[in-house]
Amino acid sequence: MKRILSFLCLSFLCAIVYAQDLDRVLQQISKDSIQYNVESLQSFPTRFTFSPYCRESAFYLRDRMLNYGFEVEVDSFYVQDFIWGDMEESCSMYLYNVLAFLPGYHEGKDSSFFLGAHYDDRSVSYSYDDSFVLAPGADDNASGVACLLEIARVWGQENIHSKYGLRIEFYSGEELCFQGSSHRLSSWSRTYSIHPLGMLNLDMVGNNCSDSIHLEYYDGCDWLTNIALENIETYTHLHANLDQEYIARSDSWIFYSWGLDALFLTENDFSPYYHTPQDSSIYLDYDYMTEVTKLAASIAYDVVVNTDNVSLEEVVLDDLLKVYTQEDVLHIDNLPSQTQEIRLLNVLGKTFYQEHLPETIHYSNAQVLKTSPQNTILLLQIITPTQVLTKKFVR
């Protein structure tokens, strides 16, 4: 009995210490610092994907993250002959993701939680040329980047030690069909194996009319959504608005499409100025952004530090799952018996085939689906009650 009481007392004390540590971290989040971050990014005339300022922005973000003690890689990739919207000519250019990492003390494999935001912007109110000349992009999406920069500053300042790694990443080309995050997911770092615990995406979090925040949640990611709901009540003055209307409108969709757990935070009241030359820092609510930053920081802290309170299940690819094509159809052998849904997606996360299986039928043999043209990379998603299995293959 004494041992049980001692254990309970120790657990209670650990919970108190954890709460005090997180409270101390959140108290360091500064509204002035967040505003400085937005204005610094806005000082680039444009961060449009194919403008020279996009590269300058990336290396600016690299330097900021290095100053906070993160390991940083600028991951460049080439986009050729890209045409989007009303562009009169195609563009070819190197784009740059900024990938920052603080390792945890977990031995062995690199299990990390991702905080992500895109730093590119667009301005298309008058003509497509606006994007090359003037696109302040304060709300979309200097706001999300600014919040993550503040989390990085506080994380480094407090010298937080965590069991799992924290990755703060800034993606290019989100405005042009998720170029940066798609590259990130299709080519993980070359020198180590990454085991993502989940991804929290911030995109447009600066406009406020109601002190509410959209929690764009994804099916099968309840543990992450539940942490967010609890922490909104505990650590912020915000109101949660659970929704799925915009789940495919930002980089978190790419993570989810590859079978990873994700959550997307975005403002409840969309700015009337986004994607225009008027998307300026003067229209943002920095008290609101401070609350959003506290929410994102608390979620990250819960996942990588307070692991006893989080149930983490790794997404495991089923090695027994066999996929092959024959006579223009896709065959799937050893389909899990609990399969509820099958999806086929391209590497940008766009679903082009979806089939819901009857609950009364449990497939274990081959399932036949029509496929896309040859020599393309496809993602197969198998949805079960407990997980999303993703398998990449070449058609």
Side-chain angles (χ1 to χ4, degrees), residues 47 49 54 77 95-98 117-120 170-175 178-181 251:
R47 300 186 307 280
T49 301
C54 206
F77 58 100
L95 307 186
Y96 305 88
N97 289 333
V98 182
H118 76 89
Y119 69 90
D120 64 306
F170 305 111
Y171 306 115
S172 180
E174 187 270 354
E175 299 289 1
F178 311 135
Q179 295 294 317
S181 54
D251 291 310

Side-chain angles (χ1 to χ4, degrees), residues 227-240 295:
I227 292 175
L229 288 171
E230 181 177 345
N231 288 7
I232 284 175
E233 294 289 333
T234 305
Y235 300 112
T236 80
H237 302 300
L238 301 175
H239 310 291
L295 173 59

Side-chain angles (χ1 to χ4, degrees), residues 171-214:
Y171 306 115
S172 180
E174 187 270 354
E175 299 289 1
L176 302 183
C177 206
F178 311 135
Q179 295 294 317
S181 54
S182 296
H183 169 76
R184 177 61 167 141
L185 268 293
S186 62
S187 57
W188 288 114
S189 182
R190 290 76 171 158
T191 57
Y192 45 74
S193 178
I194 298 176
H195 298 261
L197 303 174
M199 189 267 192
L200 178 64
N201 179 45
L202 276 67
D203 192 352
M204 295 182 63
V205 292
N207 188 67
N208 177 41
C209 297
S210 60
D211 285 341
S212 298
I213 183 77
H214 262 290

Side-chain angles (χ1 to χ4, degrees), residues 133-146:
V133 179
L134 178 62
D139 191 29
D140 189 13
N141 183 37
S143 62
V145 174

